[in-house]
Amino acid sequence: MLEHRPLQQSTPLSTWKKLTKHPFFGVFLSLFVMILIRILGNINAIPSGVVDVFAIIWIYIIIGLGFTLLLGYTGLASLGTAGFIGVGSYVVAYILGTAGMPLIVAFIVGIMISIGLGTVVGFISLRIEGMYLAIITLGLSEILVEVFKFWTKVTKGLVGFQLDRYTILGFAVREEQVYYVLVLALVLTMFAVLNIINSPTGRAMLSIKNSTSAAQAMGISILKFRLLSFIVSTVLAVIGGMLYMMYTRSTIPNIWNIALSLNILAAVVIGGAKSIWGVSLGTIFIFGFNQLVLARIPFFARYGNASLFINGALIILVVMFYPGGIVRMFSDLSRISKKAYHWILSKVKEYRYGPEE
Amino acid sequence: MTLQQILSMLFQGITAASFLALITFAIVLIFKTSYTTNFAQSSIATFSAYVITNLFVNIMMVNNPEGNPVMMLLFSIVIGIIVGFGFGLFIDTMLIRKSRYSNVLTKQMITMGMILVFSGLFPVVFGVYAQPTPMPLTRRVFELNVGGSTPIYISGHSLISIVTTIVVLGAIFIALKYTKWGLGVRATASNEVVAGMMGVNTKFITAMSWGLAGGIGALAAGLFAPTVFTLSPDLMMGLQINGFLAAVLGGFSTFAGPMIAAFIIPISRVFAWQFLSNEWSNAIVYLLVLVIILIKPVGLLGKRIAKKV
């Protein structure tokens, strides 16, 4: 028998609740936060140094989102990320600074190079797996750093490459405009990655991570998806490098070292490798915590790198006891608070109406 | 190109190889007993180098200026090795074994976290300024005449490093082959579960391997630091990366393969430096290693391990 239900009234509250359930709600929320940070910076509510730190964090989130496809979905560990970011920075440096060509050329060239690099590493990953792959990509990254150091005609060598202020379509570009470009790029990346991981492509990648043989038996082409994930992650790393160069206007071979690759890996693992929010939180934590919080404490300001100790200790603790990452913490907290709420409710009822029989 | 030049280049290469062989052995020992790559190897070794230098320069030489510097240095190196041993033991017994969820990635992440921990410790414990490293064992340079116009110059320190490496690695290889501990290590390396069932105390074996690797790393750092004259937090990082490449090139599944690779890489670098290009020698050698690994993914001496599905 059909039950007659009254039509549900759409109140502002229920509309809001429906909106928050939408998968893209978080992306729009983060867009809002990112623009808010810039506006607060403009009215001097927060110092411009902090805004710069956040801008660099947004770039690393773009790179981390590419990396999570690789690590969290296809299950391939790569330590070559820093080298690829460096490639992006030098492409922009050379094409804008030395060749004097417009930015769009730099982007086309950078993406072509990154697709090439991603294809090469993807084919390597078909022959070599696991820790071997991490070490091979580390070697590749070292070769790239050697190129940055010694191909002085293009990279200006060990002293690094400083870019003058440049123009796009006749406008002199300032940090503020690049910040909005960064935000746009990050939001587009979030949309793209969300779509990939919620599509058959993402599930195919996940199945490869869980068992290569089972995935093959189901008719999933290892070649196709490994190549795809390597190409996507390399393209995002190179784009991150190009944005980095556009924002900071300086690059130097020594920063594209193994420590940066390890930090990106740590950010992805600590945040939670399967969720884009986990990656974002992890990146903010790894790259932001010491610069935004610890740098204000005199002890850490005096000893420079001492804040890394806290970072490292927290990484170890998270990995040892909380492998779901920071993003797990939110679901755990909401579960615990719900439990506590029901417990209190039952206690109140007991007090009012006496114990249940 | 005369014989003298080739011989002196070979000597240079072997000197560099002696440091690399120690670090590579430490990496392979941990890989074989714990199935993880120890990224903190270089940090532990660098920390020990700081300990050795500070103990020798700031404590011993100040308190006892008339003493025998060689004995004091040897004492400092022993203390440094003990510190390295302790850190290795600490990572295995206090971190990896206590972690609630243990897989390959977890172990790797713990060692990566240790890199950051050490980077934070260096400025606090040892100060922010770069320290020079004295070379008190010997400053002598030997001349070796092999029948030509110019003799080969051989520095005493290089000779000491090479001899130490050969003695230490030789002793360990003999121990691996003939002692009960070595049998335990080999059994654990081939299959940890089965070794445990056969009565091998795998926990003890693993812990000792970590400690030994830390100690060997400390020894390598103590020998290597005087050759670069200053201490810095990333003193051993280059050696560690080369050690990883050597381990992959030789094949992780054997002990001997990585040792051979650890000699091939520096020697070929010296020759590439001389014959091909000064600047690109590193890149050429890395590229060569990558190509060899692509052709033979299991390494030079490695055997393909069939995987159960």
Side-chain angles (χ1 to χ4, degrees), chain B residues 56 61 64-76 136-137:
Chain B
F56 180 68
M61 290 301 267
N64 185 15
E66 279 93 43
N68 182 359
V70 173
M71 286 316 289
M72 289 197 292
L73 182 72
L74 287 181
F75 182 73
S76 318
L137 272 188

Side-chain angles (χ1 to χ4, degrees), chain B residues 14-309:
Chain B
I14 291 175
T15 309
S18 65
F19 311 125
L20 187 58
L22 287 173
I23 288 286
T24 310
F25 183 81
I27 289 169
V28 174
L29 184 63
I30 286 180
F31 182 85
K32 291 200 65 125
T33 50
S34 297
Y35 308 101
T36 185
T37 45
N38 181 10
F39 287 100
Q41 186 70 52
S42 71
S43 301
I44 296 174
T46 311
F47 195 90
S48 310
Y50 269 94
V51 169
I52 294 170
T53 311
N54 276 285
L55 198 62
F56 180 68
V57 176
N58 295 341
I59 296 175
M60 291 195 159
M61 290 301 267
V62 172
N63 290 339
N64 185 15
E66 279 93 43
N68 182 359
V70 173
M71 286 316 289
M72 289 197 292
L73 182 72
L74 287 181
F75 182 73
S76 318
I77 289 179
V78 169
I79 297 286
I81 289 173
I82 291 170
V83 168
F85 191 92
F87 274 119
L89 216 58
F90 171 79
I91 294 181
D92 186 48
T93 55
M94 302 307 286
L95 300 179
I96 289 181
R97 206 169 294 165
K98 291 278 189 293
S99 92
R100 195 179 296 170
Y101 306 89
S102 186
N103 57 40
V104 173
L105 195 64
T106 315
K107 291 178 190 171
Q108 272 184 323
M109 288 301 302
I110 287 174
T111 60
M112 287 173 198
M114 282 309 284
I115 296 184
L116 292 180
V117 167
F118 277 112
S119 319
L121 277 182
F122 285 128
V124 179
V125 180
F126 300 113
V128 260
Y129 303 107
Q131 273 179 310
T133 48
M135 197 197 281
L137 272 188
T138 173
R139 284 181 186 283
R140 281 180 64 181
V141 176
F142 301 98
E143 286 181 17
L144 193 68
N145 217 328
V146 284
S149 51
T150 51
I152 306 172
Y153 295 104
I154 291 177
S155 87
H157 187 84
S158 305
L159 219 53
I160 290 174
S161 312
I162 295 169
V163 170
T164 315
T165 303
I166 291 172
V167 168
V168 168
L169 287 184
I172 290 173
F173 268 90
I174 289 170
L176 274 176
K177 186 93 184 166
Y178 296 110
T179 65
K180 208 174 171 188
W181 170 80
L183 190 65
V185 169
R186 282 182 287 140
T188 313
S190 91
N191 191 331
E192 194 174 350
V193 179
V194 175
M197 285 173 180
M198 294 295 135
V200 177
N201 188 350
T202 53
K203 282 187 175 173
F204 178 75
I205 295 281
T206 317
M208 279 303 116
S209 305
W210 278 84
L212 194 62
I216 292 173
L219 178 67
L223 292 173
F224 178 68
T227 63
V228 291
F229 306 113
T230 43
L231 289 175
S232 63
D234 50 0
L235 177 73
M236 305 292 284
M237 200 40 125
L239 271 182
Q240 167 168 310
I241 291 171
N242 282 319
F244 280 142
L245 283 176
V248 177
L249 178 64
F252 262 125
S253 51
T254 59
F255 277 111
M259 294 301 102
I260 294 168
F263 276 84
I264 291 175
I265 289 179
I267 292 172
S268 54
R269 176 173 305 129
V270 171
F271 278 87
W273 193 85
Q274 185 73 35
F275 292 117
L276 297 172
S277 155
N278 292 358
E279 293 166 346
W280 295 103
S281 56
N282 266 333
I284 291 168
V285 171
Y286 286 147
L287 206 63
L288 208 67
V289 171
L290 292 195
V291 169
I292 294 174
I293 294 167
L294 267 186
I295 296 168
K296 204 167 181 310
V298 289
L300 291 176
L301 293 189
K303 294 181 211 72
R304 180 166 283 282
I305 297 168
K307 209 166 62 179
K308 204 170 116 185
V309 176

Side-chain angles (χ1 to χ4, degrees), chain A residues 279-307:
Chain A
V279 174
S280 310
L281 288 172
T283 315
I284 292 173
F285 178 76
I286 292 280
F287 292 99
F289 185 62
N290 54 350
Q291 292 188 47
L292 295 178
V293 181
L294 293 180
R296 307 193 178 275
I297 303 168
F299 173 78
F300 291 107
R302 190 166 146 222
Y303 286 113
N305 276 340
S307 56

